[in-house]
Amino acid sequence: MKIAFVGKGGSGKTTLSSLFIRHLAANEAPVVAVDADINQHLGTALGLPDADAAALPAMGAHLPLIKEYLRGSNPRITSADTMIKTTPPGEGSRLLRVREENPVYEACARTVPLDDGEIRLMATGPFTESDLGVSCYHSKVGAVELCLNHLVDGADEYVVVDMTAGSDSFASGLFTRFDMTFLVAEPTRKGVSVYRQYKEYARDFGVALKVVGNKVQGRDDLDFLRAEVGDDLLVTVGHSDWVRAMEKGRPPRFELLEAENRMSLQALQDAADDSYADRDWDRYTRQMVHFHLRNAESWGNAKTGADLAAQVDPDFVLAESLGAVQPA
C-alpha cells in the first residue's frame, strides 16, 4: 500500500509518520519509507543520529540513474534525458517492487534498524543554498513521483511517504499516487484549513483521505475536530511521554508506547489495508497519463525538445500482475 502523511508545518506529520513506520515494522511488514518534506527530519525521527540522517543519499542527485534504470528497453522513450517526473511506464519499462534489490534502492535507500525489525529509508534531499532563486522543491520530489509511477506494490507491502507541508504536493500529480492519505490536523482553525484545502483539491481525483487528530487534549478538542472534518476523522492522538523522550533522542523501546496510541496506529493500518479493495490500477494509470500530458504541453516538450505525448503507451496498464522486473 502507498500511504502519504500530509498536514501543515508543525502539525506533527513527521512524528506520526515515523510512529506508523515503527508500528508496521513491529508487525513484521516490509516497508519503504520516503522523506519527501522540504525539512528532512524523518531519519532522525526514526532514530538515526543527526550525522547519519544528513548523510542519506539524495534521490534528486541520482535522478539520471533512476531514469536510465526505469526506462529499460521502452522504445517510446528515446533517452533518459527526455524523461520527466510524470513519464509513465510502458512496454519494456523496468518496474520497482518493495521487496526486491535493484540499482535504485542500492543508490538511494539505506537500511534503518528499528526495535522490531528494519525498514528501507529514502530521502529526496534537502533544499540547499545552491537551489535558491533557480529551483523549486517540486523538482526535488520529481524522483519520488517517477518511482511511484513505476512501482507495483501488493497487499501487506507498504510505501510510506512523509510529504512536504501544506498543499504544495498539488503542484504535481504526486497527490494521486497513494492508496491512502492521512492528513494530520491539530484542533485549531489553521489545522483544519489545510484539510479543507486538501479535500477540495483532491475531490475530482478519488483520493482516499482520512484525518488524524494530533495534540488532542480533551473533549473540547475532539468535538471541534468532529464538527470541522466530520466522518473523515479517523483517530486522535494525545500527549505521549514516549514521543517526548524520542524528540530528546532517548526513545524507550517501541513496545512501551502508550496503549491508546498503539491502538490509534493499528487503526491507521486497518484503514490503509481496507483501502486495498478499492485499488483501481486503470484509474491510477489514467491519472498518471493525465498529468504527464499536462506537463508535456505546459513545459516538458519545450524543456526536452521532444514530443513527450509520444511516450504514452496506450495499451499499457500498470498492474500488480506485472511481476517480473527486467534484469539490469
Side-chain angles (χ1 to χ4, degrees):
M1 308 301 295
K2 294 178 285 287
I3 300 162
F5 278 81
V6 301
K8 79 173 185 66
S11 64
K13 170 180 61 65
T14 297
T15 298
L16 264 295
S17 58
S18 72
L19 291 177
F20 184 63
I21 291 164
R22 289 177 187 268
H23 169 80
L24 293 174
N27 286 348
E28 301 182 347
V31 180
V32 175
V34 182
D35 191 344
D37 196 351
I38 191 170
N39 297 306
Q40 305 265 284
H41 296 308
L42 184 58
T44 53
L46 289 170
L48 286 181
D50 290 343
D52 291 350
L56 288 169
M59 294 178 71
H62 292 283
L63 193 54
L65 178 151
I66 294 171
K67 290 180 177 180
E68 189 61 50
Y69 179 75
L70 297 179
R71 182 170 74 96
S73 60
N74 187 336
R76 295 176 179 273
I77 305 174
T78 56
S79 73
D81 291 338
T82 64
M83 293 181 73
I84 61 174
K85 61 184 180 180
T86 51
T87 294
E91 187 68 30
S93 296
R94 291 193 181 98
L95 304 176
L96 302 176
R97 282 196 170 273
V98 171
R99 306 189 207 211
E100 70 179 3
E101 301 294 335
N102 60 54
V104 174
Y105 291 155
E106 183 179 349
C108 302
R110 294 295 180 265
T111 299
V112 177
L114 300 173
D115 289 344
D116 302 293
E118 59 184 31
I119 57 101
R120 276 179 171 143
L121 174 61
M122 299 197 292
T124 58
F127 199 70
T128 64
E129 187 174 339
S130 63
D131 295 318
L132 296 177
V134 297
S135 184
C136 69
Y137 195 67
H138 310 125
S139 64
K140 299 278 187 181
V141 298
V144 179
E145 187 167 357
L146 197 58
C147 286
L148 292 182
N149 281 352
H150 289 74
L151 178 71
V152 281
D153 55 315
D156 303 319
E157 297 177 330
Y158 300 87
V159 177
V160 181
V161 182
D162 181 18
M163 297 282 281
T164 191
S167 56
D168 282 355
S169 57
F170 289 98
S172 70
L174 186 57
F175 73 98
T176 66
R177 303 296 83 197
F178 301 101
D179 298 289
M180 175 61 68
T181 297
F182 292 127
L183 189 145
V184 181
E186 299 170 88
T188 64
R189 291 173 62 188
K190 287 184 178 180
V192 299
S193 66
V194 173
Y195 158 77
R196 293 197 189 96
Q197 194 175 27
Y198 216 103
K199 181 87 169 178
E200 180 63 28
Y201 286 161
R203 188 180 306 279
D204 296 331
F205 294 94
V207 172
L209 179 67
K210 290 295 182 180
V211 174
V212 182
N214 193 27
K215 306 176 185 178
V216 174
Q217 297 182 5
R219 183 74 189 187
D220 186 64
D221 286 348
L222 179 59
D223 290 344
F224 174 83
L225 285 173
R226 283 176 172 165
E228 295 295 330
V229 309
D231 292 339
D232 285 340
L233 180 63
L234 179 63
V235 293
T236 62
V237 178
H239 173 78
S240 169
D241 290 333
W242 193 98
V243 169
R244 181 60 62 87
M246 180 268 287
E247 291 174 340
K248 294 176 180 177
R250 301 193 297 269
R253 288 192 58 82
F254 185 65
E255 63 193 33
L256 298 177
L257 180 70
E258 299 85 1
E260 59 271 23
N261 290 330
R262 290 293 292 267
M263 290 175 62
S264 292
L265 294 174
Q266 185 59 52
L268 297 185
Q269 184 178 359
D270 291 343
D273 290 347
D274 289 346
S275 71
Y276 181 78
D278 299 323
R279 175 174 282 192
D280 185 342
W281 286 106
D282 287 328
R283 183 182 68 186
Y284 191 79
T285 305
R286 287 197 307 272
Q287 290 176 342
M288 188 189 312
V289 170
H290 167 76
F291 284 104
H292 180 64
L293 294 178
R294 281 179 53 176
N295 284 337
E297 183 177 354
S298 63
W299 60 268
N301 290 344
K303 181 176 181 179
T304 63
D307 177 13
L308 299 186
Q311 293 179 342
V312 176
D313 184 342
D315 299 320
F316 183 87
V317 176
L318 193 66
E320 199 174 328
S321 59
L322 298 173
V325 178
Q326 297 181 19

